[in-house]
Amino acid sequence: MSGTVLIVVTHLLGSGHLVRAAHLARALVRGGFAVTLASGGMTLRSMEGEPFAFVQLPPVRTEGVDFRSLLDEAGRPVEAGRMAARIAMLEALAARLRPDVVITEHFPFGRRQLAEEFLAAIAAAKAANSAALVLASVRDVLVTPKPTRIAEAHERIAGLFDAVLVHGEDDFLPLDRSWPVDAGLRAKLRYTGYLADRPKPAPSILRDAISGEMAPQDEGLEGRGEIVVSGGGSAAAMPLFELALAAARLGPATRRWRILVGRGVSEEAFGRLMAGAPDHAIVERARPDFPALLAGCALSISQAGYNTVLDLIAARRPAIVVPFDAGAETEQAVRAEALERAGLALCLRLSGAEPLTAEGLARAVETQIGRPVPAGGFRPDDGGRAVAAVKRLLRERR
């Protein structure tokens, strides 16, 4: 056994932070660590059968892009008692585990409204084990806040954190593309590659399909030759889903569309999408075999969230990315533009001077289907580089 790890994460809008934290947890278990993952976001699925221990805190969430207002499961503003209970659970967990490594997902670069509980977990872990490593875990692109908050984050990194695991590639999309990196922060960055689970190979018959035309031999081969539209786990993709269905109605009825809708979309909204779908479009809930569907599609249309982009890179299929950019969100736009520069996708925007229309999306579909995707470049990493970085840091500490 290499040691004990405590990972603390709270996803608020979609599921990306929890998915990435779980990928990291599985990789650390494979590397010989005993891992406990404490999640403070909404329950997404059962964690039974995972190789790591899972602790669910009393959950909180947000509505839309208002990250300042925390809500409970019923959509009510969270009470002070719930926040105090979360902190007490984290402190007790850290005291019991006496972890060798504490990893905070996204904090202190974000989750400022939850700073008290992240700091409490770190303090409790250090009280139980003064030699504990404290690491931050972040995706490739961050949302740049106000200068005062940047200074606050840098102060916390300098005073509390031994290193920052950046789950990306510095030669593709370095952190300083979205966040100001000074000399002190740069010395603590450890790029781990794009973090994903070990890939599950898709059937070759799916990988070979590119035409996008419905044919008798397609029956029973879900995903083959389709236009697959996805939007992560939240309701933020509703505008994209509605636009995709409008574009489908403009295109040939021989071309099949599949719209995969996340669990964050209400049943009422899901029903509206189903009711508005033409005969050659399938609207269904997001599926665990999404990578296989993607591997056989003629074209992917999606947002540009971290995990979706990893699936795109692994599949190497023609793609259109429409980044979520409501409010002050810039993360997905930065990532989508990097994909376009690398020739891996066409980036279209829902907002701006020329917002995307159904007609524009239909035209883009015709130009992108069958377009070759460049070979080579990076592939998602199954966590091996992240685990190696943690082990190196532990050796240096010891």
Side-chain angles (χ1 to χ4, degrees):
M1 188 66 67
S2 297
T4 301
V5 179
L6 172 61
I7 302 176
V8 184
V9 57
T10 291
H11 57 286
L12 292 175
L13 180 59
S15 59
H17 290 288
L18 178 59
V19 170
R20 188 166 49 255
H23 289 337
L24 180 58
R26 295 184 197 104
L28 287 165
V29 170
R30 291 195 295 270
F33 290 92
V35 181
T36 298
L37 174 61
S39 172
M42 297 295 291
T43 303
L44 297 179
R45 63 173 180 82
S46 171
M47 288 291 182
E48 291 183 8
E50 290 286 3
F52 52 83
F54 181 77
V55 174
Q56 176 65 58
L57 306 178
V60 297
R61 65 180 180 88
T62 57
E63 190 73 38
V65 294
D66 179 10
F67 292 103
R68 295 171 298 179
S69 303
L70 297 176
L71 309 174
D72 63 15
E73 303 96 319
R76 298 181 298 257
V78 295
E79 298 178 349
R82 174 172 291 231
M83 303 310 293
R86 289 164 62 94
I87 291 173
M89 287 181 67
L90 286 171
E91 288 176 330
L93 185 62
R96 176 174 61 83
L97 292 174
R98 302 182 69 250
D100 299 290
V101 185
V102 178
I103 301 176
T104 60
E105 166 65 26
H106 199 41
F107 181 81
F109 296 90
R111 297 295 180 264
R112 187 173 180 267
Q113 70 277 57
L114 298 172
E116 186 178 0
E117 62 187 45
F118 281 108
L119 294 174
I122 292 170
K126 295 292 279 188
N129 178 6
S130 61
L133 276 176
V134 181
L135 309 177
S137 168
V138 298
R139 64 194 178 210
D140 56 342
V141 181
L142 298 169
V143 176
T144 307
K146 298 175 182 177
T148 54
R149 296 183 181 179
I150 294 171
E152 180 183 60
H154 283 200
E155 182 179 350
R156 285 170 171 163
I157 293 163
L160 293 174
F161 288 81
D162 296 283
V164 178
L165 304 177
V166 183
H167 303 302
E169 299 280 4
D170 58 347
D171 59 354
F172 174 70
L173 193 51
L175 192 65
D176 58 16
R177 191 75 60 80
S178 59
W179 184 279
V181 176
D182 60 17
L185 175 57
R186 191 176 304 279
K188 293 191 175 186
L189 299 184
R190 304 291 187 274
Y191 284 89
T192 69
Y194 281 87
L195 186 61
D197 262 343
R198 289 182 171 178
K200 299 177 178 62
S204 60
I205 193 164
L206 291 180
R207 292 196 299 267
D208 294 340
I210 61 171
S211 71
E213 299 297 326
M214 293 173 65
Q217 61 267 32
D218 286 343
E219 293 178 7
L221 299 176
E222 290 186 308
R224 183 182 181 190
E226 296 176 343
I227 298 169
V228 174
V229 183
S230 61
S234 78
M238 276 297 293
L240 176 59
F241 294 147
E242 292 165 349
L243 197 65
L245 288 175
R249 288 191 288 271
L250 296 174
T254 55
R255 181 164 287 149
R256 184 165 53 208
W257 294 59
R258 187 179 297 270
I259 318 295
L260 299 173
V261 183
R263 296 290 170 182
V265 173
S266 69
E267 287 299 323
E268 179 185 2
F270 180 61
R272 289 200 305 271
L273 291 174
M274 293 183 67
D279 290 343
H280 59 288
I282 300 166
V283 177
E284 62 182 346
R285 289 294 188 182
R287 297 162 39 156
D289 62 345
F290 173 67
L293 293 174
L294 198 63
C297 75
L299 175 70
S300 167
I301 302 174
S302 69
Q303 294 184 314
Y306 184 93
N307 294 297
T308 299
V309 166
L310 291 192
D311 287 329
L312 285 177
I313 291 169
R316 299 284 168 166
R317 305 304 303 144
I320 296 171
V321 286
V322 185
F324 172 68
D325 55 7
E329 290 295 306
T330 57
E331 172 225 336
Q332 291 198 13
V334 172
R335 189 179 297 112
E337 289 163 3
L339 285 173
E340 186 170 66
R341 284 194 300 272
L344 298 173
L346 171 66
C347 175
L348 301 175
R349 304 295 290 271
L350 287 173
S351 60
E354 297 183 8
L356 183 62
T357 63
E359 291 79 8
L361 182 56
R363 288 194 298 270
V365 166
E366 296 305 317
T367 61
Q368 288 298 105
I369 280 186
R371 175 183 171 275
V373 179
F378 66 88
R379 290 279 181 178
D381 185 84
D382 69 355
R385 287 168 60 183
V387 173
V390 172
K391 288 184 174 181
R392 279 195 301 271
L393 289 162
L394 276 175
R395 285 195 299 270
E396 293 166 5
R397 167 60 57 84
R398 291 167 178 168

